Amino acid sequence: IVGATSESDKDILYLSSALYGRPTMKRVYYSGYVSVNTYDTRLPALKQPPLVRENRLYQADWLLRFYQFKVDEIVDDAYPDLDLEIDPKLSWALRHPEQFPVNKADYEMLLRVPGIGVKSAKLIVASRRFSRLGFYELKKIGVVMKKAQYFITCRELPLQMQTVNELSPQRVRSLLLPKPKKKVDDRQLILDFGE
């Protein structure tokens, strides 16, 4: 249960990692705390469950199970909680710009590039034996080029495209943050009746 106690994401992920170390544990589930007892003061009274935090924990869990990350790479003493604005893989990459850009990286390093998943990394490694891969080939393979373009170099990348080291991690973060959605459509006529 996420948010019922003051545990950090680091504490939760270390516990999950320890549970995965057991031979019978296959999956850990996370659930955002929902406040139901308003009269019991021992538990926090949250207005809404921490759904974004729950989602980020699932993403971090995925990195532990399928992307060969260790808990201390995702969260540590300096960053005990996951960034709620960006996914944990992108957060790791922005904290480690010295690892990028990559070009002819091995499978393990490809798994750490934002925008490249397990399937895409396997296809990249297999395809390299036959030809060089460019922007369009990577896109066909399934690489999310919107994210990956800042962390890789390949032929056919637009010349004005800069890597995470040429820009700054903060600038790349601001470019990749989801844009806030408009609540009011500018094209819609609004009538004020002076209630």
Side-chain angles (χ1 to χ4, degrees):
I1 305 291
V2 178
T5 60
S6 61
E7 294 169 326
S8 68
D9 294 337
K10 177 182 164 189
D11 299 331
I12 294 170
L13 289 173
Y14 269 114
L15 176 62
S16 297
S17 180
L19 290 172
Y20 284 133
R22 296 180 180 177
T24 56
M25 182 59 70
K26 292 191 190 299
R27 187 81 162 84
V28 174
Y29 292 92
Y30 307 92
S31 179
Y33 169 71
V34 178
S35 178
V36 257
N37 293 340
T38 54
Y39 56 85
D40 191 351
T41 57
R42 292 176 294 174
L43 292 171
L46 301 178
K47 293 180 181 173
Q48 68 180 55
L51 299 178
V52 176
R53 183 176 177 206
E54 175 187 330
N55 182 42
R56 296 294 181 229
L57 283 166
Y58 273 115
Q59 290 172 328
D61 186 85
W62 197 264
L63 292 179
L64 292 173
R65 292 189 302 139
F66 300 110
Y67 286 76
Q68 303 168 0
F69 276 78
K70 303 286 183 239
V71 175
D72 58 349
E73 293 177 303
I74 301 170
V75 287
D76 55 19
D77 292 333
Y79 300 95
D81 291 311
L82 297 167
D83 190 333
L84 298 181
E85 292 181 323
I86 57 174
D87 66 86
K89 187 177 179 182
L90 178 58
S91 179
W92 177 86
L94 292 175
R95 287 194 319 265
H96 296 90
E98 71 280 358
Q99 302 280 336
F100 301 101
V102 298
N103 187 342
K104 294 183 179 178
D106 60 356
Y107 175 73
E108 289 75 22
M109 188 58 196
L110 286 173
L111 287 176
R112 292 172 180 265
V113 176
I116 297 180
V118 174
K119 182 180 173 186
S120 299
K122 287 179 182 176
L123 287 170
I124 289 170
V125 171
S127 300
R128 279 186 189 153
R129 292 183 285 171
F130 305 108
S131 68
R132 291 178 47 187
L133 300 174
F135 181 86
Y136 299 104
E137 290 84 7
L138 291 173
K139 200 167 186 168
K140 277 185 186 178
I141 285 175
V143 174
V144 180
M145 292 305 289
K146 179 182 177 187
K147 284 185 183 179
Q149 66 189 351
Y150 300 106
F151 302 96
I152 62 171
T153 56
C154 70
R155 60 186 177 90
E156 299 172 356
L157 264 179
L159 292 175
Q160 70 271 16
M161 199 80 280
Q162 296 176 317
T163 65
V164 68
N165 292 320
E166 294 166 337
L167 295 168
S168 68
Q170 295 80 15
R171 177 74 178 128
V172 172
R173 177 190 167 92
S174 67
L175 289 170
L176 292 176
L177 276 176
K179 306 292 182 259
K181 294 181 176 140
K182 287 185 181 179
K183 292 186 179 182
V184 178
D185 188 355
D186 292 337
R187 299 170 295 170
Q188 184 70 29
L189 177 63
I190 299 174
L191 300 174
D192 183 15
F193 293 107
E195 301 170 89

